[in-house]
Amino acid sequence: MAFTLTITATPDDIDELGHVNNAVWVKWIQDIAVAHWTTIASAEQQAAYIWVVTRHEIDYRGNVGAGETVAGETWVPEPPRGARFDRHVRFTGPDGKVKVEAVSTWALLDRATGRLQRVRPELAAPFLS
């Protein structure tokens, strides 16, 4: 299921080139993923598990300046493999053009032990597109 989040760039997000800094895009990728998790996962699931990023692949296709808004969309197209799954993210400007696309690999950890946990089908089902 796709999840959306609207983000407006602040002056603190802007680098010396006058557009959103690469590190900010990575933060926004994490922000939308976490928002998706906290919106769908139960309180018990959120208390039991935490997700960590193991890999990011990002394509920068356009720039965003201070005060500009992007629509972020994230989805999980395929079932997890063990403790990991790939999450896709796309940020689109008000002009309809894609500004950034990413695929991030996330791994599920047990909060109490910090160990990797296999993603059970019932945990993954609400996130699959």
Side-chain angles (χ1 to χ4, degrees):
M1 247 300 148
F3 176 82
T4 60
L5 183 69
T6 301
I7 300 172
T8 301
T10 68
D12 290 338
D13 298 327
I14 306 305
D15 64 17
E16 62 274 6
L17 298 174
H19 54 70
V20 172
N21 184 279
N22 294 354
V24 173
W25 286 110
V26 172
K27 179 184 178 308
W28 289 355
I29 291 165
Q30 179 169 325
D31 289 349
I32 194 171
V34 170
H36 191 198
W37 167 250
T38 58
T39 298
I40 292 180
S42 69
E44 294 80 19
Q45 291 168 331
Q46 292 178 50
Y49 305 109
I50 190 164
W51 295 94
V52 295
V53 173
T54 62
R55 183 173 188 275
H56 284 302
E57 180 180 332
I58 305 171
D59 293 313
Y60 299 96
R61 304 196 185 285
N63 297 321
V64 173
E68 293 181 22
T69 298
V70 292
E73 180 181 21
T74 186
W75 65 97
V76 179
E78 299 174 6
R81 296 169 314 279
R84 292 177 175 80
F85 73 92
D86 289 338
R87 171 181 291 282
H88 292 243
V89 179
R90 179 183 306 126
F91 292 99
T92 307
D95 58 1
K97 293 183 180 178
V98 174
K99 304 300 181 179
V100 168
E101 288 184 293
V103 178
S104 295
T105 304
W106 292 76
L108 182 66
L109 299 181
D110 180 284
R111 277 191 189 267
T113 67
R115 293 183 179 210
L116 287 172
Q117 294 293 303
R118 178 173 295 280
V119 182
R120 296 184 323 271
E122 66 272 11
L123 184 66
F127 297 92
L128 295 172
S129 52

